[in-house]
Amino acid sequence: MSLLKSVSTIAGASVISQIIGAISIWLISHKYDMSQVGTYALVYSIVLIGAQVCTFASQLLLPKQSEEKVTQNIIFSLLQSLVLALPYSFVMTQFFELNGILLYVLTLCHAWILVSENLLLRVENIRLLAFQRISISLLVIAAVFFTPTTEQFYLSWAIGLFLLIIIWLFHSISFSQLRFSHFSFTNNIQFMKEHRVHLSGIGSAEVLAMANNNLPTLLINFWFSPLIAGYFAVVNRFCLAPVTIVGNAVRNSIFSKWSIDFRNNTFNFQEFKKVRLMLLILGLIATVGVLIFYPLVMQLGFNDEWLNSVPMSRYMLPYLFPALAICPLTVIELVFGSPKYFLRIQIEQLLIIAIAFVVFPYFHNDYAYSVLLFSILSFVRYSFIYRKVNQRAHRLAQENKIS
């Protein structure tokens, strides 16, 4: 499948998933209230961070893993997440009043979703990957619609997601290749030692990347209120939809394509330039679109609770453009570049979050200034990243010519 076709396929599925997710949030806000939207965003953020903690990027080895080692890679990722989800869920329950068992199941399921997605990316089965994402989103809206209480919603979501991801894993895993030796402690420790550079470098970076995406929701819940977190969740769902839809589609597609190029020891610089230009144009369109149309949509189709999220959308605009135009290009560092630099850019973003959502609210408890500070600092950081990824691309192009 061509790069453009795979991007459009994943983007199409992401559009549907975003629409379904928006309906889920709308149902929660109308069935309960905006503070429950904040609580849902909190739970979802915790399990997304947990999924990366539990896999530690071991799933990212799957698309470029050799045929001889791919089965061991799968088992390692599944077992690792099965174990690490326990202490992670326990720690989270010490900070937030949440059901530890449900948190464990949801965290484990989202970790296994990452494994399943990368198995599909390995064989470039983009259509099935798109269908998997849509099915997972449909499960959430069904759980919200058919359950009368929030407790039953989270229980239905956890049970349904566990059954669903088991089905997807059964489809992707070749059981004829499985051996008892793949489950042995010795073999899994050996696999970890062989890939310790990836797990420590890329793994740490991926955990930080997911934490950077979701920590603001956790910290807004902590410093301000679930209601403010609800507004932030609404803005993330609607205003940052282009980042989720287009950015992730491009990221997944170029990761799959460039992983194949990596195995073939080549790099397509012309393709990189096309992707770069496309992202810059889409970033500008998305930013102007949110500025003009988000307030109009809120006024015409939603109640006052949703209308109150408009100021938050304005504060996020400096973050929106680089998150779409530049962030997906960092995949070049993940595939071809330095694990240390990929880790460094995530540490820099974590520092920005700490300044905006920990240090600043400690001295001045105003969510508006915190969100605006976060957006501006992120914009400055992404400007330096843009320069770095272009340098990497030019270097790879030169090496490709020489070879």
Side-chain angles (χ1 to χ4, degrees):
M1 183 180 287
S2 69
L3 180 62
L4 184 59
K5 192 172 182 180
S6 65
V7 168
S8 61
T9 302
I10 296 177
S14 296
V15 169
I16 297 172
S17 297
Q18 284 294 304
I19 292 171
I20 296 169
I23 295 171
S24 300
I25 287 179
W26 180 84
L27 274 176
I28 293 171
S29 69
H30 282 262
K31 203 170 186 178
Y32 309 107
D33 53 40
M34 189 60 75
S35 64
Q36 283 300 327
V37 173
T39 301
Y40 167 72
L42 172 66
V43 173
Y44 193 51
S45 296
I46 288 173
V47 299
L48 288 180
I49 295 172
Q52 292 292 350
V53 170
C54 293
T55 55
F56 233 73
S58 59
Q59 84 283 0
L60 293 179
L61 289 166
L62 290 168
K64 54 184 181 181
Q65 190 65 268
S66 65
E67 290 295 332
E68 296 77 20
K69 295 183 179 179
V70 67
T71 304
Q72 185 64 67
N73 195 159
I74 294 168
I75 298 305
F76 177 83
S77 298
L78 296 179
L79 292 178
Q80 178 183 245
S81 53
L82 192 70
V83 174
L84 292 181
L86 278 170
Y88 175 80
S89 302
F90 175 76
V91 170
M92 289 298 104
T93 57
Q94 305 306 302
F95 291 95
F96 303 98
E97 294 181 5
L98 298 170
N99 186 305
I101 296 175
L102 293 180
L103 204 60
Y104 171 77
V105 174
L106 288 170
T107 301
L108 178 64
C109 289
H110 280 84
W112 285 1
I113 286 170
L114 296 177
V115 176
S116 177
E117 287 188 349
N118 279 275
L119 284 172
L120 294 174
L121 285 172
R122 175 180 174 82
V123 294
E124 291 192 279
N125 199 335
I126 304 301
R127 288 190 181 91
L128 202 57
L129 172 61
F131 182 69
Q132 175 179 303
R133 290 184 174 181
I134 292 171
S135 68
I136 290 167
S137 298
L138 282 172
L139 174 65
V140 177
I141 195 172
V144 176
F145 187 79
F146 290 109
T147 54
T149 65
T150 54
E151 290 81 8
Q152 291 178 7
F153 158 62
Y154 288 112
L155 179 62
S156 301
W157 181 23
I159 294 173
L161 189 59
F162 182 77
L163 295 174
L164 192 60
I165 191 56
I166 289 296
I167 293 171
W168 284 113
L169 285 172
F170 264 79
H171 175 273
S172 297
I173 296 174
S174 177
F175 287 91
S176 62
Q177 303 295 323
L178 279 178
R179 302 289 183 271
F180 282 112
S181 59
H182 291 134
F183 295 87
S184 74
F185 181 77
T186 303
N187 284 348
N188 281 284
I189 289 296
Q190 181 62 33
F191 180 87
M192 183 176 69
K193 288 179 179 178
E194 287 177 8
H195 299 283
R196 61 182 180 276
V197 174
H198 173 91
L199 295 174
S200 60
I202 301 299
S204 300
E206 282 294 304
V207 170
L208 285 175
M210 188 58 71
N212 289 338
N213 287 334
N214 293 278
L215 268 177
T217 302
L218 273 68
L219 293 170
I220 288 172
N221 262 283
F222 179 81
W223 283 107
F224 306 110
S225 69
L227 179 63
I228 300 299
Y231 294 145
F232 189 77
V234 167
V235 170
N236 267 323
R237 175 65 66 176
F238 285 87
C239 296
L240 298 184
V243 176
T244 305
I245 295 169
V246 181
N248 286 348
V250 173
R251 177 184 169 88
N252 285 330
S253 297
I254 61 178
F255 177 67
S256 176
K257 179 67 170 60
W258 290 351
S259 293
I260 294 171
D261 289 347
F262 177 83
R263 295 203 298 265
N264 295 328
N265 196 29
T266 186
F267 177 71
N268 190 334
F269 182 65
Q270 295 303 316
E271 185 177 71
F272 170 83
K273 290 199 296 183
K274 290 177 182 178
V275 171
R276 182 182 61 189
L277 178 61
M278 178 183 68
L279 287 172
L280 286 172
I281 293 171
L282 291 172
L284 286 171
I285 293 172
T287 305
V288 174
V290 168
L291 177 65
I292 296 172
F293 293 108
Y294 183 77
L296 296 176
V297 172
M298 291 299 107
Q299 287 175 358
L300 294 174
F302 296 88
N303 59 27
D304 289 342
E305 272 195 323
W306 286 66
L307 190 58
N308 290 334
S309 69
V310 171
M312 181 79 77
S313 70
R314 302 296 176 91
Y315 307 146
M316 291 294 289
L317 288 177
Y319 173 81
L320 170 60
F321 173 74
L324 177 54
I326 300 172
C327 186
L329 294 176
T330 58
V331 169
I332 196 172
E333 292 294 336
L334 180 62
V335 178
F336 295 100
S338 165
K340 289 183 179 180
Y341 179 72
F342 194 74
L343 176 60
R344 175 187 147 188
I345 62 178
Q346 302 306 332
I347 293 174
E348 289 170 357
Q349 186 65 13
L350 184 64
L351 288 174
I352 289 172
I353 292 171
I355 292 169
F357 293 113
V358 178
V359 177
F360 190 81
Y362 179 81
F363 294 101
H364 186 72
N365 196 266
D366 188 318
Y367 81 91
Y369 286 107
S370 289
V371 174
L372 188 58
L373 180 62
F374 164 75
S375 296
I376 293 171
L377 290 176
S378 296
F379 181 89
V380 173
R381 166 183 165 266
Y382 275 120
S383 300
F384 287 101
I385 291 173
Y386 183 73
R387 180 172 174 268
K388 181 69 175 181
V389 295
N390 277 284
Q391 288 176 343
R392 174 69 64 184
H394 282 283
R395 193 177 304 122
L396 288 168
Q398 290 297 322
E399 292 173 358
N400 202 48
K401 286 180 181 179
I402 294 171
S403 61

